[in-house]
Amino acid sequence: MTSGAVSVRSETVFTYGAPGLKFGTGASDEIGYDLSQYAVKRVLVLTDPRVAATGHPQRIAEQMAQFGIEARVFTGVHVEPTDESFEAAIAFARETGPWDAYVAVGGGSTIDTAKAVNLLTTNDGDLMDYINAPVGRARAPQHPLKPLVAVPTTTGTGAESTTICVLDVLALKVKTGISHVRLRPTLAVVDPALTMTQPAGVTAAAGMDILCHALESYTARSYTSYDRKSPEQRVPYCGANPISDLWSEQAMSLLAGSFRRAVHHGNDPQAREQMALAATMAGLGFGNAGVHIPHANAYPIAGRVRDFHPAGYPDDEAMVPHGMAVSLTAPEAFRWTFSSSPERHLRAAALLAPDHGYDAGPDALPAVLADLMRDIEIPNGLGAVGYGEDDVDDLVEGAMKQQRLLATAPREVTEEDVAGILGRSLELW
Ligand SMILES: [Zn+2]
C-alpha cells in the first residue's frame, strides 16, 4: 500500500458527544426522579417570564419535593440574552446558592443562560474570562460543572445538545459565545407536550432553524479536511462525520413528513412530536459537526434589525427571530456551496422533498427551500425584513466576524462571496 497520496498532516479522528436524552410526552414529569439519582438536594430552575406563565417550570419544581429536593424558580431569563442578563442570573444564583444542580425550562436563551450560570457558579472569574477570543479570554473551566437538565419548550435551537452559549456583549455590540465541552447539558428532557402552544409563526421560524442545522452540518466540510489536531486542540465542532451525517439525514426525513403540518395544524400531536424529534436529532448532528454560512449571516441579520415585527412573537420589540434570520440566506448559501459536494446537496433535496420535480443541479436545493418557505410564510428575503442594497456591506462585516462558523463552510468564504450571497438574498422569489 502506498501512503504517498495521503498527507500525514490531515485529520483522521473525529469525536462525538451528546447529553443523556429522555424523549416523549410526559418526560418532563420525571425530572424529580432523574435528579434524585444524582443525590442532589437543592435545585435552581431557570426560565423566562413568558414560559413561567405557562406553569411548566413551577410544576417541574414542585414535583421535585416528593424526592426531598428543594427547588426554587428564577424567572428572570432574558430572551436573546446579553452579558448583563447573564450577569444578573449569575448574581442571583451566587447569592441564593450553592445549588447542587440546574434545570433550564425554555428556549435556547434559557438553556444558554443556565449553561453560563452553571459555569460561573462552579468556577472562578467573570464572564469575560470565558467568552470566546478575541472578545473574551477563552479560558477553559478548571473545575467540573454541576448537573444541568435542559428542557426545551421551543423546538429548534438544539441548545439542549450543544456545548455553547450565545450572548450579546452590549458595550461592544457584538454577538459571541462561550464554547466548551463541559457546558453541554447532562440530560436533555424533550417533552413534545410542552411545545403544543407554539404559534404558527414561531413553529415556522424554529423549524427553519432545525432544517438549517441539519443542512449546514450535512454540508459542512469533512472532519478529514482539517489539519491533524493534538488532543488539547480538539473542539466540539469537528466537521461533518459519519455519525453527524446520520442524525442530519434522519432530521431531514422527519421534517419532510411533519414541518408543513406542524405549522398549518399546530394541534396535531404527531406532527409536534416529529418536529421535536427532528430538532433533537439535528441538534445531535450539528452539536458535533458545526454549522456554517447561513448561521454566520444570521448574526448580523438578527442583530441589526430596525423595524421588523414578525407574526407570533411579542410585539414590543423589533426582531428577526433566529430561525428566520438563518433561513433568509440559506437558499443562496446552498446554491453557492453546491460545487463542494453535489451529491450531498441533491441527497438533501431528495430527503426534504421526495416528490419535488427539480433538475439535478445547483438549483435543486434552493428550489426545495424556497417552496417550503413560501408555504409556511417565511418572508421572501432580506428586503422583506427591512434590509436593502445599502445594508449589504454592513451585513458582510457582521458575518465575517463569525470566523468560527465560516471555518466550517465546505469552501473558503471571502467577503465577496458573502456579499454575493447576501445580495442575491434580498428578494428570493
Ligand atoms: Zn440555529
Side-chain angles (χ1 to χ4, degrees):
M1 200 179 127
T2 58
S3 59
V6 179
S7 156
V8 289
R9 299 273 305 137
S10 58
E11 187 57 271
T12 54
V13 174
F14 72 89
T15 54
Y16 184 80
L21 173 66
K22 192 169 254 201
F23 183 97
T25 301
S28 66
D29 299 337
E30 302 183 6
I31 294 170
Y33 172 82
D34 291 331
L35 279 172
S36 71
Q37 303 304 298
Y38 292 94
V40 305
K41 291 286 162 217
R42 297 192 76 229
V43 172
L44 183 61
V45 178
L46 297 103
T47 191
D48 70 58
R50 212 162 244 271
V51 172
T54 66
H56 293 308
Q58 194 58 39
R59 176 181 59 80
I60 288 167
E62 281 165 10
Q63 158 221 106
M64 290 183 210
Q66 53 183 297
F67 298 95
I69 297 171
E70 177 202 340
R72 183 161 173 180
V73 183
F74 172 75
T75 61
V77 169
H78 194 269
V79 175
E80 301 294 322
T82 64
D83 48 343
E84 276 178 15
S85 78
F86 269 16
E87 268 155 15
I90 292 162
F92 179 88
R94 281 179 172 169
E95 277 158 27
T96 54
W99 300 98
D100 301 326
Y102 297 97
V103 177
V105 185
S109 301
T110 298
I111 296 170
D112 281 4
T113 301
K115 289 173 184 171
V117 166
N118 195 4
L119 173 66
L120 270 305
T121 51
T122 48
N123 283 271
D124 314 326
D126 60 27
L127 217 42
M128 273 301 172
D129 288 329
Y130 297 97
I131 285 175
N132 295 338
V135 177
R137 290 179 279 279
R139 206 169 107 183
Q142 306 284 302
H143 307 291
L145 277 61
K146 300 289 185 186
L148 166 60
V149 179
V151 191
T153 58
T154 54
T155 42
T157 69
E160 71 279 4
S161 300
T162 67
T163 59
I164 59 164
C165 58
V166 177
L167 73 158
D168 283 308
V169 177
L170 293 173
L172 302 174
K173 290 196 173 144
V174 59
K175 208 182 244 300
T176 179
I178 303 174
S179 179
H180 192 275
V181 70
R182 284 196 183 152
L183 295 188
R184 194 187 324 263
T186 319
L187 175 68
V189 175
V190 183
D191 188 336
L194 305 189
T195 66
M196 288 294 280
T197 51
Q198 260 185 187
V202 177
T203 305
M208 287 309 296
D209 193 26
I210 304 173
L211 178 47
C212 289
H213 290 156
L215 273 174
E216 288 173 55
S217 51
Y218 195 56
T219 56
R221 59 186 278 198
S222 162
Y223 76 99
T224 55
S225 70
Y226 289 88
D227 287 343
R228 178 74 194 244
K229 295 181 188 69
S230 56
E232 72 281 3
Q233 290 172 324
R234 299 211 174 278
V235 288
Y237 298 101
C238 60
N241 62 72
I243 303 288
S244 64
D245 285 352
L246 202 76
W247 292 119
S248 302
E249 290 187 358
Q250 280 299 321
M252 287 189 263
S253 296
L254 279 167
L255 287 167
S258 60
F259 193 177
R260 284 173 163 91
R261 234 173 345 122
V263 173
H264 297 307
H265 306 283
N267 54 5
D268 179 335
Q270 203 200 2
R272 291 292 193 186
E273 186 171 314
Q274 289 191 356
M275 288 296 282
L277 200 51
T280 306
M281 290 182 174
L284 294 170
F286 95 88
N288 289 280
V291 286
H292 54 88
I293 300 168
H295 268 76
N297 290 343
Y299 280 78
I301 294 168
R304 290 162 204 228
V305 61
R306 285 184 287 254
D307 190 31
F308 181 72
H309 296 265
Y313 287 83
D315 253 351
D316 45 347
E317 247 176 287
M319 70 183 300
V320 183
H322 170 72
M324 186 185 287
V326 169
S327 67
L328 292 175
T329 64
E332 289 307 318
F334 292 117
R335 195 190 306 283
W336 185 82
T337 56
F338 179 81
S339 64
S340 66
S341 54
E343 65 297 340
R344 280 182 179 252
H345 289 70
L346 295 173
R347 167 109 175 109
L351 286 169
L352 289 170
D355 305 322
H356 197 285
Y358 46 74
D359 296 329
D363 297 336
L365 188 52
V368 166
L369 290 176
D371 218 47
L372 171 66
M373 288 161 73
R374 240 193 321 252
D375 197 19
I376 59 172
E377 294 182 28
I378 294 285
N380 78 335
L382 295 174
V385 300
Y387 294 109
E389 207 73 70
D390 294 346
D391 298 311
V392 169
D393 285 352
D394 233 24
L395 295 174
V396 170
E397 193 213 326
M400 292 307 287
K401 282 193 185 137
Q402 308 302 324
Q403 283 302 323
R404 190 180 61 83
L405 301 180
L406 293 177
T408 317
R411 292 173 60 187
E412 199 173 319
V413 197
T414 66
E415 260 176 53
E416 291 70 49
D417 297 327
V418 176
I421 291 167
L422 287 163
R424 290 189 293 276
S425 300
L426 287 168
E427 196 180 337
L428 290 170
W429 59 81

